[in-house]
Amino acid sequence: MDVHVRLDGQRDLSGQIYRQLRAAIHDGLLRPGEPLPPTRELSRRLAVARNTVGVAYERLVAEGYADSRVGSGTYVRSAGLPTGSPETAVEPTGPGLRPRALWSSLSPWSIPPTTGPTPASHDFRVGLPDARLFPYDAWRPLIARELRLSASGSAGYGDPAGHAGLRAALARHIGLSRGVRADPDDVLVTTGTQQALDLIGRVLLEPGDRVAVEEPGYPPARLPFLAQGAQVTGVPVDDEGLVVDALPADTRAVYVTPAHQFPLGMPMSLRRRTALLGWARRHGAAVIEDDYDSEFRFGGRPVETLHSLDRDGHVIYVGSFSKVMLPSLRVGFLVAPAPLRTALRTAKYTADWHTTVPTQAALARFIDDGRLARHVRRMQHVYATRHEVVTRALTGDHGDLVELVPSAAGLHVTAFTRGPLADPDALLAQVRHARASGVAVHTLAEVAAHRSARPGLALGYGAIGAPDIEAGLLRVLSPCQDR
């Protein structure tokens, strides 16, 4: 890698080179064992005599910052570098740049750490699929093929709406699996759900508009709207989902997770879904439906999407591949009513032009070849087994300590705590004790946007094998039974 050296004037050129290279070594920009640029090359780039660079290098060697190897070059010393620091950087003389005051009140969703530096022996974290079971052998050739096509000269900037093949594949996929009526033009590919929410806010909201979210609810969903100057209002949920009657009349958009409410886990009842759509129609509001892990269902009738029930064009359907495949793919999508298409594509172009094209193209083939459907079927069986083990343990051996919230979908369950763990402080102490013994687990309050009215646990089973679940729950709950 080229080293940037800036020369000021014509005085003490060797000293200027020496000081900047020494600072790069101190700052870790030049690491132990790395070569310094050949003197001939650096002198050419700086338009100085080769001897000028040579004097700077000799000083670095003499002071213990570098080693000269005959016939090879000059290298940063591998060990025993001098201690101390170079001259202090010049401090700005003026106030400099500052963010808008709004940003001092916002921060990324930060769940408290669950374990120390070693991996958890029992991982109950929420929102994680089992990355160990992802079909990497099937995925690698698809990505490799797209990269080869890029190398052949076919690479270029993509369509802001997304890869045409992927949009067509997504329209078929959600039509078959979730009953969402959409054609490829309705689909916009995004870099995850978070970007989808950001784009929707840019297109629909004016500063000061009100957005309603579930409470307790998914914390990151609030951030894009807050950052755009919206008023975000929490609306309570009950055992049927969002309480529609509690929506403020001036709400411009409502964000909901109807198939598997986050974090409590129950589905929104048909009666409540119908009421929400009627409310949106009367108030001219948008309903943002986050269908985040509905592919995995373990009992009962499939829950119809709000989008499939909508006849008036008020629902924007949002999904991603973070739970079905891998969070690191960062591929999501939204399905929007026709009047929003052009504005959303322009907003996507403004944000980042397009989501990475090779990944989109590979995912299109992954879906069209039937590999996604096979993977979902396989994981459906795996997660169903884990769901059964978790629910059986919580309603059986630990039933005196927890009250399970009924849930037949997704990758986590929620249980309200009772008895000695009904006290939030006692629950948090118990959870910390479990973490110290190698269990990654969170309280309900830690994963929700606002503290729940009742203390509880959010227990993910996506990243923990079925044989480890009961032992992990025993570490979480059994110590208080011994007291």
Side-chain angles (χ1 to χ4, degrees):
M1 184 181 298
D2 288 341
V3 179
H4 176 72
V5 175
R6 181 181 60 85
L7 298 182
D8 184 11
Q10 297 298 318
R11 298 172 63 89
D12 191 22
L13 298 180
S14 291
Q16 293 186 56
I17 296 169
Y18 156 77
R19 285 188 291 274
Q20 292 178 56
L21 291 177
R22 185 184 67 167
I25 294 170
H26 268 291
D27 294 343
L29 303 178
L30 284 171
R31 295 174 296 182
E34 285 190 334
L36 299 181
T39 54
R40 186 186 303 277
E41 176 188 321
L42 188 56
S43 65
R44 178 183 55 78
R45 285 200 284 117
L46 298 178
V48 298
R50 186 179 179 186
N51 185 58
T52 301
V53 177
V55 170
Y57 281 22
E58 288 171 4
R59 187 171 174 185
L60 290 169
V61 171
E63 296 185 11
Y65 291 99
D67 291 317
S68 179
R69 304 176 191 173
V70 177
S72 177
T74 304
Y75 295 77
V76 178
R77 179 159 291 183
S78 298
L81 285 170
T83 56
S85 59
E87 294 84 357
T88 359
V90 177
E91 293 293 332
T93 55
L97 299 177
R98 295 291 183 270
R100 291 163 51 207
L102 165 73
W103 289 95
S104 64
S105 63
L106 302 180
S107 60
W109 186 32
S110 179
I111 301 180
T114 52
T115 60
T118 57
S121 58
H122 299 81
D123 194 344
F124 290 108
R125 285 178 296 168
V126 172
L128 295 179
D130 197 330
R132 297 166 298 184
L133 300 181
F134 181 73
Y136 294 100
D137 289 343
W139 179 251
R140 287 190 195 97
L142 299 177
I143 284 290
R145 177 184 182 276
E146 298 306 324
L147 292 175
R148 284 196 300 272
L149 289 175
S150 298
S152 69
S154 62
Y157 292 105
D159 185 341
H163 183 277
L166 179 57
R167 287 188 284 122
L170 284 171
R172 289 192 299 272
H173 171 68
I174 59 179
L176 286 171
S177 64
R178 297 296 292 135
V180 173
R181 302 179 310 279
D183 63 39
D185 285 340
D186 297 322
V187 178
L188 178 79
V189 179
T190 64
T191 307
T193 296
Q194 204 66 11
Q195 187 184 53
L197 301 180
D198 181 74
L199 298 178
I200 293 167
R202 292 184 191 215
V203 165
L204 284 181
L205 302 176
E206 298 284 354
D209 281 351
R210 188 180 305 280
V211 177
V213 298
E214 298 164 316
E215 190 170 289
Y218 182 54
R222 297 170 172 247
L223 293 177
F225 307 128
L226 289 169
Q228 291 157 2
Q231 301 180 61
V232 177
T233 300
V235 176
V237 298
D238 59 17
D239 57 2
E240 290 190 71
L242 184 85
V243 179
V244 176
D245 291 342
L247 284 167
D250 62 345
T251 298
R252 182 80 176 94
V254 185
Y255 168 84
V256 288
T257 53
H260 185 227
Q261 200 278 333
F262 187 94
L264 299 181
M266 68 284 185
M268 183 182 288
S269 69
L270 178 59
R271 181 175 73 92
R272 197 64 64 77
R273 280 178 280 149
T274 303
L276 177 58
L277 291 174
W279 186 94
R281 182 177 60 253
R282 291 191 303 274
H283 290 80
V287 176
I288 304 167
E289 177 179 17
D290 186 350
D291 207 29
Y292 69 100
D293 62 2
S294 60
E295 291 87 353
F296 304 117
R297 186 159 191 83
F298 317 119
R301 294 180 179 178
V303 178
E304 286 186 276
T305 64
L306 287 166
H307 189 280
S308 66
L309 297 172
D310 179 28
R311 297 293 180 268
D312 303 294
H314 285 278
V315 175
I316 304 172
Y317 180 88
V318 174
S320 84
F321 291 88
S322 295
K323 311 297 185 297
V324 176
M325 296 176 68
L326 295 171
S328 57
L329 287 181
R330 304 311 303 142
V331 177
F333 60 94
L334 62 82
V335 178
L340 299 181
R341 286 179 192 165
T342 300
L344 284 167
R345 292 179 182 187
T346 304
K348 171 65 175 175
Y349 174 88
T350 303
D352 66 353
W353 199 323
H354 60 80
T355 300
T356 174
V357 174
T359 300
Q360 290 188 69
L363 182 54
R365 284 185 167 271
F366 193 75
I367 296 172
D368 285 340
D369 293 348
R371 299 181 191 188
L372 176 64
R374 288 195 293 273
H375 178 58
V376 169
R377 285 195 297 269
R378 179 192 181 199
M379 299 311 297
Q380 166 82 12
H381 175 74
V382 169
Y383 295 142
T385 300
R386 297 178 187 181
H387 178 270
E388 181 183 357
V389 174
V390 170
T391 55
R392 185 176 63 241
L394 292 176
T395 55
D397 295 343
H398 306 295
D400 57 332
L401 294 172
V402 296
E403 175 191 339
L404 183 67
V405 177
S407 173
L411 296 182
H412 79 274
V413 295
T414 295
F416 296 122
T417 48
R418 51 190 173 190
L421 294 183
D423 176 68
D425 293 333
L427 174 60
L428 187 56
Q430 182 70 26
V431 164
R432 288 172 176 163
H433 175 78
R435 291 171 183 166
S437 68
V439 181
V441 64
H442 285 113
T443 67
L444 179 57
E446 288 174 332
V447 300
H450 283 272
R451 186 174 295 274
S452 170
R454 298 178 61 183
L457 295 166
L459 297 161
Y461 45 82
I464 185 171
D468 298 322
I469 288 174
E470 292 195 37
L473 290 175
L474 197 64
R475 292 193 191 187
V476 174
L477 295 168
S478 65
C480 66
Q481 292 177 322
D482 299 334
R483 288 198 287 268

